[in-house]
Amino acid sequence: MTTEAQESVVRDGVHYHQFDIVIVGAGGAGMRAAIEAGPGARTAVISKLYPTRSHTGAAQGGMAAALANVEEDSWEWHTFDTVKGGDYLVDQDAAEILAKEAIDAVIDLENMGLPFNRTPEGKIDQRRFGGHTAEHGKTPVRRACYAADRTGHMILQTLFQNCVKLGINFFNEFYVLDLITVKDADGKTQIAGVVAYDLSTGELHVFQSKAVIFATGGFGKIFKTTSNAHTLTGDGVGIVWRKGLPLEDLEFFQFHPTGLAGLGILLTEGARGEGAILRNASGERFMERYAPTIKDLAPRDIVARCMVQEVAEGRGAGPHKDYVLLDCTHLGAEVLETKLPDITEFARTYLGVDPVVEPVPVMPTAHYAMGGIPTNNNAEVLADNTTVVPGLYAAGECACVSVHGANRLGTNSLLDINVFGKRAGRQAVEYVKTADFVPLPENPAGFVSGMLEGLRNNQGTERIAVLRKTLQDEMDKGAQVFRTHDSLEHVLGVIKDLRDRYRNVHVDDKGHRFNTDLLEAVELGFLLDIAEVVVYAAQNRQESRGGHMRDDFPKRDDENYMKHTMAYLTGDPHSSTPSDHIKLDWKPVVFTKNEQGELNYPPLERKY
């Protein structure tokens, strides 16, 4: 492994590098792509964090695969659960790829050295998880492969160790701020590389490449109550958006049911997979009323709405009746300390609650973006519904295949990063074998340099932290689990005001080394861009589906909205209303058929 091993040239204070493939992001998707790409092409991984600090490490519960090590299972059942769990907005060909390739993805990780929990026979152990069933919804099934409640952490460490083994070039604490594109003679977008800001020196680096893979994660920090790390500000999604490329299904954001009340820190669904129970203030197992078949293991969007409804109807616990309780006490100390050690420690540390002897206060927390950069099944980024941008790829949470539809099943995220991260790396290698480097435009770092110096030297009075807090507070109030036209309209007005105030921000730190004040100013710009698309698309979708619940349109509307939202930036984001600079269009959902020509996974009522 190297960080500056490749030769670089310095011109006018800017460092220039050349690689066949540049991967932006060193989480699970980025490093899985690097493992696939590294042996076949000169590959660089650029990350604003040290790789093992990436947010994949926060994933706890497991990775789905129909191994059938503990109970009978099949990839067809897994596909059905993915489609049904996604409220039928899932592209079904992508879901079949995910479920079929899941088994090899788990075996790949095992062969790389990942220490999965084991059955007494020595096989990879599996646990139950929400929405995963046998025989197309009849009973819960044990499908989640896990390493205690640190599965994402183990995956991240394993992938990093294998990248080191392969000698992958890492540029750590480099913040990519621009995608270098040029237009060919026909006006089509060509990829020339990326521009990154070295946090340790403040210098700019241009990475010329034949292919770029975005694996930059999600954007949960548009919300106040979130399980996402402080760094998940949607940088990759925002960069692509500013380049005029579309974003898909951004209105669908998943709110994980069990965040620590008031904090949002995640308690894995694996706790309910091991038998933990959600209870209201009176001790009732209320999910029996809403999902009598699989109860607490219903899909996350359903459980989150039920929890909010319990509180809204006065059955919440605590002095303010504003949360419900996750009861693990019957599981016993041994199960909690061996299979769920991290969440046990989280509850003790952050709330002073011991899950061994008392229930834990929980409420939904913003967790996962189902939408993002649109791609096909080979992780190639799309310029519209069908046109591929040659040499540009995306994988993981920043991408929208769409394999999660309107609601991602638990454990399918760690699966997604491995299946489609691998596909992105493999496809990029094939592309660069015959592609040429696109000549860099004159002064390729000019835009980034101007943006950074403009923020650094701005004489404004607005505080970055105040603007960010206002955005997050208002998103929690108006665009979280339940939404209405009026609540979303109010948030759009707030975002418009924050955009105006953002022009007047003040950066206290004028330095160049590890200037986190400047970094957060840049991140705020991305958050405002993405939040606006999320809210505008949510207002446009006049139905309830998956993670998108409209109180004023409470039913799913397959006749009018069985289609993906495609958003395009068409003008100046500082114009008066979103309709002046955002164009919304639609993209059909992909359905697959069986040998008789019938739909394999027809839309059904989501009863559990």
Side-chain angles (χ1 to χ4, degrees):
M1 180 190 69
T2 59
T3 54
E4 288 280 5
Q6 301 296 327
E7 292 184 6
S8 63
V9 176
V10 182
R11 294 197 298 270
D12 299 323
V14 177
H15 297 255
Y16 288 80
H17 312 260
Q18 192 177 77
F19 290 90
D20 294 321
I21 300 171
V22 165
I23 299 170
V24 184
M31 288 201 287
R32 186 63 188 88
I35 289 170
E36 201 67 20
R42 293 178 63 245
T43 302
V45 179
I46 308 174
S47 174
K48 72 174 180 180
L49 298 171
Y50 192 75
T52 54
R53 297 290 181 265
S54 298
H55 199 59
T56 300
Q60 296 168 353
M63 174 175 166
L67 300 181
N69 284 352
V70 182
E71 297 174 337
E72 183 183 357
D73 202 0
S74 76
W75 69 263
E76 289 96 339
W77 298 348
H78 186 185
T79 304
F80 172 80
D81 291 337
T82 298
V83 172
K84 183 181 178 184
D87 223 347
Y88 297 94
L89 205 73
V90 172
D91 285 338
Q92 296 181 9
D93 55 345
E96 290 180 2
I97 289 169
L98 186 79
K100 285 180 181 178
E101 297 184 8
I103 296 167
D104 283 343
V106 169
I107 300 305
D108 283 349
L109 289 170
E110 182 182 37
N111 290 336
M112 290 181 199
L114 196 147
F116 285 109
N117 275 50
R118 299 283 168 174
T119 67
E121 298 77 27
K123 296 180 179 180
I124 295 173
D125 200 4
Q126 296 180 273
R127 60 165 50 132
R128 290 178 178 173
F129 238 77
H132 290 278
T133 67
E135 300 182 78
H136 304 98
K138 288 187 178 180
T139 58
V141 69
R142 301 182 185 277
R143 185 179 291 148
C145 309
Y146 65 98
D149 56 356
R150 305 180 180 119
T151 314
H153 176 78
M154 296 300 186
I155 288 175
L156 197 65
Q157 299 290 334
T158 300
L159 293 177
F160 181 60
Q161 290 160 7
N162 280 269
C163 284
V164 171
K165 176 182 174 182
L166 292 172
I168 302 296
N169 296 277
F170 280 87
F171 292 81
N172 300 327
E173 297 183 324
F174 277 59
Y175 187 12
V176 171
L177 292 174
D178 194 22
L179 174 67
I180 307 171
T181 60
V182 296
K183 298 290 186 180
D184 64 12
D186 298 323
K188 294 180 180 178
T189 299
Q190 292 182 299
I191 303 303
V194 299
V195 181
Y197 172 72
D198 182 353
L199 299 181
S200 67
T201 65
E203 296 174 319
L204 296 182
H205 291 248
V206 171
F207 292 83
Q208 186 182 22
S209 63
K210 297 178 181 179
V212 173
I213 301 173
F214 275 101
T216 52
F219 42 87
K221 294 306 288 186
I222 61 174
F223 296 98
K224 175 187 176 184
T225 306
T226 177
S227 65
N228 286 195
H230 190 70
T231 55
L232 285 183
T233 50
D235 313 325
V237 177
I239 289 168
V240 167
W241 173 245
R242 291 175 181 180
K243 283 296 176 180
L245 295 171
L247 299 178
E248 181 177 353
D249 284 346
L250 248 64
E251 66 267 38
F252 294 108
F253 206 96
Q254 181 174 91
F255 300 91
H256 194 293
T258 52
L260 288 179
L263 299 173
I265 295 170
L266 187 67
L267 298 187
T268 176
E269 196 167 306
R272 283 172 284 138
E274 296 293 340
I277 296 169
L278 288 165
R279 301 188 187 278
N280 57 25
S282 63
E284 178 197 6
R285 186 179 187 177
F286 58 86
M287 284 306 301
E288 289 182 330
R289 284 189 273 113
Y290 300 100
T293 302
I294 57 177
K295 304 178 180 68
D296 304 273
L297 290 175
R300 290 173 176 174
D301 60 321
I302 293 174
V303 179
R305 287 198 294 273
C306 295
M307 292 169 64
V308 172
Q309 186 171 333
E310 287 293 300
V311 169
E313 294 177 357
R315 294 186 291 275
H320 303 292
K321 299 185 181 299
D322 56 355
Y323 56 76
V324 298
L325 299 167
L326 182 68
D327 185 3
C328 307
T329 56
H330 56 288
L331 300 182
E334 183 178 354
V335 169
L336 288 171
E337 299 291 356
T338 57
K339 292 189 173 183
L340 302 165
D342 276 8
I343 71 159
T344 301
E345 190 61 30
F346 291 163
R348 290 169 177 162
T349 301
Y350 296 108
L351 290 184
V353 172
D354 187 351
V356 175
V357 296
E358 54 189 326
V360 182
V362 292
M363 274 301 277
T365 179
H367 183 57
Y368 190 90
M370 273 73 75
I373 304 166
T375 74
N376 61 19
N377 291 339
N378 286 322
E380 297 170 301
V381 172
L382 300 174
D384 51 38
N385 288 4
T386 57
T387 306
V388 168
V389 181
L392 185 59
Y393 306 86
E397 191 175 352
C398 73
C400 183
V401 179
S402 159
V403 78
H404 305 307
N407 172 60
R408 175 182 66 76
L409 283 190
T411 71
N412 270 0
S413 60
L414 291 179
L415 178 57
D416 175 13
I417 62 177
N418 280 281
V419 168
F420 290 100
K422 179 178 180 178
R423 281 179 162 247
R426 185 172 61 203
Q427 193 70 21
V429 169
E430 290 303 309
Y431 174 78
V432 303
K433 286 179 180 177
T434 56
D436 295 321
F437 285 100
V438 174
L440 292 170
E442 184 178 352
N443 191 18
F447 168 76
V448 173
S449 177
M451 176 180 64
L452 294 177
E453 290 309 306
L455 287 168
R456 195 195 315 268
N457 299 322
N458 198 342
Q459 299 302 309
T461 58
E462 294 284 355
R463 315 305 297 185
I464 297 157
V466 172
L467 301 189
R468 184 178 62 237
K469 184 178 185 301
T470 301
L471 172 67
Q472 293 169 340
D473 286 346
E474 295 299 328
M475 287 293 290
D476 264 22
K477 292 176 186 175
Q480 212 207 38
V481 175
F482 289 97
R483 304 161 172 183
T484 66
H485 173 88
D486 291 345
S487 74
L488 295 167
E489 185 69 21
H490 173 74
V491 178
L492 286 174
V494 170
I495 293 172
K496 172 64 174 66
D497 178 61
L498 291 175
R499 279 196 184 282
D500 294 337
R501 293 169 65 186
Y502 181 63
R503 293 176 171 179
N504 194 37
V505 294
H506 179 78
V507 175
D508 289 319
D509 187 350
K510 307 300 182 183
H512 292 269
R513 296 183 179 275
F514 291 109
N515 188 339
T516 55
D517 198 22
L518 179 63
L519 174 67
E520 292 191 354
V522 174
E523 291 173 332
L524 177 59
F526 289 131
L527 290 173
L528 289 170
D529 284 353
I530 295 167
E532 183 177 50
V533 183
V534 169
V535 177
Y536 190 50
Q539 192 178 58
N540 186 59
R541 183 175 286 273
Q542 297 181 355
E543 66 158 352
S544 291
R545 184 187 299 269
H548 169 71
M549 180 69 191
R550 286 283 298 265
D551 261 357
D552 44 355
F553 297 96
K555 294 187 180 299
R556 194 179 79 195
D557 182 355
D558 290 341
E559 181 178 351
N560 294 305
Y561 293 103
M562 180 64 80
K563 49 193 177 183
H564 301 292
T565 298
M566 297 290 282
Y568 297 82
L569 181 63
T570 58
D572 179 8
H574 290 96
S575 56
S576 58
T577 63
S579 60
D580 294 331
H581 58 269
I582 299 176
K583 173 190 172 186
L584 295 180
D585 205 346
W586 303 104
K587 176 183 175 185
V589 174
V590 177
F591 291 91
T592 56
K593 296 183 179 180
N594 58 29
E595 294 178 359
Q596 287 72 42
E598 300 168 337
L599 290 181
N600 274 331
Y601 314 100
L604 305 168
E605 188 178 353
R606 292 175 80 210
K607 287 187 176 180
Y608 288 92

